[in-house]
Amino acid sequence: MSAPASSKSKPPFWTIARRDAAAGYVFIAPQLLGIVTFVLVPLGLVFWYSLHEWNVLASSFNFVGAANYQMLLADPNLPAVLTASAIFSAGLVVLNMSLALLLAVLLDQKLKGMVVFRTLFFSPVVVSLVAWTIVWSFLLQANGGINGMLAVVGIEGPNWLRTPTTAMISVVVVQVFKNVGLNMVLFLAALQGVPKELYEAARVDGAGRFKQFRRITLPMISPTILLTSIITIVGSLQVFAQIAVLTQGGPGMTTTVLVYYLYQQAFQFHFFGYGSTLSILLFVIVAVLTFAQWQLRKRIVFYEN
């Protein structure tokens, strides 16, 4: 006599939930693979290299443990490098974001020709960085175009890229003009998303333009301010091409920022182990600053209050 059939059939393995989960994994697989291949694996290799003394010319790769990190703490050039990096980042962030917000407010006006000016201010963003920097290197020479224009009005300009007091200012200004259009577009999009009814209500209550800007505009675009500040700070700490083309870190070490110093140690002096250690330092600085900004969002971003 055969056994009675089970009253409940076994549920199928390939359920709708599992099918949806598998589809989700397939969609995120390329991005996940890219992150593992181009972010996590290189970061792990850089940390591994920082524990070694790697001389490509001598074909030596010797484990030294924390010796490179001890060298980092004892490096006499590191304070000057970090100071130059801080000055460059502070100058770039303040000038870039202030000018971008000012341009966005002006271009948000309903006037004829605004599209032309938007295109004009944004066009440097799409220009090749090296080409842009080379052009400015000619303009900022002692006999370049900037001093030529100053000579017309009777002013003798300095050698902008070879004078300690003007070299850093010149590099910052060149970078600001290059990327201010990107932040301008982000701010402009945020400004156009502010409800007009808020301004109308403020005018009815007697609020002036400045008070409207401070009490309505800034709080409403605060998420964009947070985003642009993070992007600008991270970008300022990764600057390399401008320094390499304009000043090569000089005069002295006044414009030797951390990324350029890393490049010198690894690819000019062939200290790849110490260069990897500097890369870890850069990663830590960027991560700490980004985390700090994200934690401050409750004070910066209106919607987080």
Side-chain angles (χ1 to χ4, degrees):
M1 188 174 180
S2 60
S6 176
S7 60
K8 292 185 178 179
S9 60
K10 186 178 180 180
F13 175 80
W14 202 241
T15 61
I16 295 178
R18 287 175 175 171
R19 216 167 39 224
D20 291 342
Y25 287 129
V26 170
F27 280 120
I28 68 171
Q31 181 73 12
L32 185 61
L33 181 62
I35 292 175
V36 171
T37 305
F38 298 108
V39 177
L40 298 182
V41 171
L43 186 61
L45 289 175
V46 166
F47 178 73
W48 176 247
Y49 295 152
S50 70
L51 302 177
H52 293 75
E53 182 182 354
W54 185 11
N55 191 320
V56 177
L57 299 179
S59 300
S60 62
F61 188 73
N62 303 316
F63 182 80
V64 294
N68 285 324
Y69 292 92
Q70 295 173 352
M71 185 188 303
L72 177 69
L73 297 176
D75 190 344
N77 295 324
L78 189 61
V81 170
L82 294 178
T83 301
S85 301
I87 293 173
F88 179 86
S89 297
L92 179 64
V93 170
V94 172
L95 288 178
N96 190 312
M97 295 189 64
S98 301
L99 183 58
L101 183 56
L102 175 62
L103 291 174
V105 171
L106 295 176
L107 293 177
D108 193 38
Q109 308 302 314
K110 305 301 181 182
L111 300 175
K112 292 183 179 180
M114 288 296 102
V115 176
V116 176
F117 285 103
R118 292 176 193 175
T119 305
L120 180 64
F121 289 129
F122 185 77
S123 58
V125 177
V126 298
V127 174
S128 167
L129 176 60
V130 175
W132 174 268
T133 310
I134 290 175
V135 170
W136 274 97
S137 69
F138 287 112
L139 292 175
L140 292 170
Q141 289 178 0
N143 57 349
I146 301 297
N147 284 347
M149 289 186 292
L150 293 176
V152 173
V153 295
I155 300 176
E156 183 180 356
N159 191 341
W160 297 93
L161 300 177
R162 294 295 176 263
T163 305
T165 55
T166 59
M168 180 61 79
I169 296 174
S170 301
V171 175
V172 170
V173 170
V174 169
Q175 183 65 9
V176 167
F177 287 163
K178 176 68 174 68
N179 287 333
V180 70
L182 178 59
N183 285 347
M184 179 200 72
V185 170
L186 294 175
F187 282 135
L188 185 59
L191 289 172
Q192 292 177 346
V194 178
K196 303 302 179 186
E197 295 81 3
L198 296 178
Y199 295 112
E200 295 173 0
R203 283 193 293 269
V204 170
D205 291 338
R209 287 183 175 272
F210 178 75
K211 196 167 186 179
Q212 292 177 33
F213 181 78
R214 187 165 62 92
R215 295 293 188 180
I216 298 176
T217 304
L218 287 180
M220 294 301 294
I221 68 171
S222 55
T224 304
I225 294 176
L226 176 64
L227 171 66
T228 54
S229 65
I230 293 176
I231 293 174
T232 308
I233 289 176
V234 172
S236 68
L237 292 172
Q238 297 176 343
V239 64
F240 169 75
Q242 300 88 328
I243 303 296
V245 174
L246 291 174
T247 64
Q248 296 80 49
M253 296 191 68
T254 54
T255 60
T256 302
V257 295
L258 185 55
V259 173
Y260 189 76
Y261 187 59
L262 183 162
Y263 162 78
Q264 287 180 320
Q265 296 298 319
F267 299 102
Q268 289 185 350
F269 307 145
H270 303 290
F271 298 144
F272 286 97
Y274 188 55
S276 300
T277 307
L278 292 170
S279 298
I280 296 296
L281 175 63
L282 176 63
F283 171 78
V284 171
I285 292 174
V286 172
V288 169
L289 289 177
T290 303
F291 178 78
Q293 285 181 282
W294 185 250
Q295 292 301 310
L296 288 173
R297 72 188 187 279
K298 292 185 178 180
R299 292 187 177 183
I300 298 174
V301 179
F302 172 73
Y303 304 115
E304 297 283 347
N305 293 331

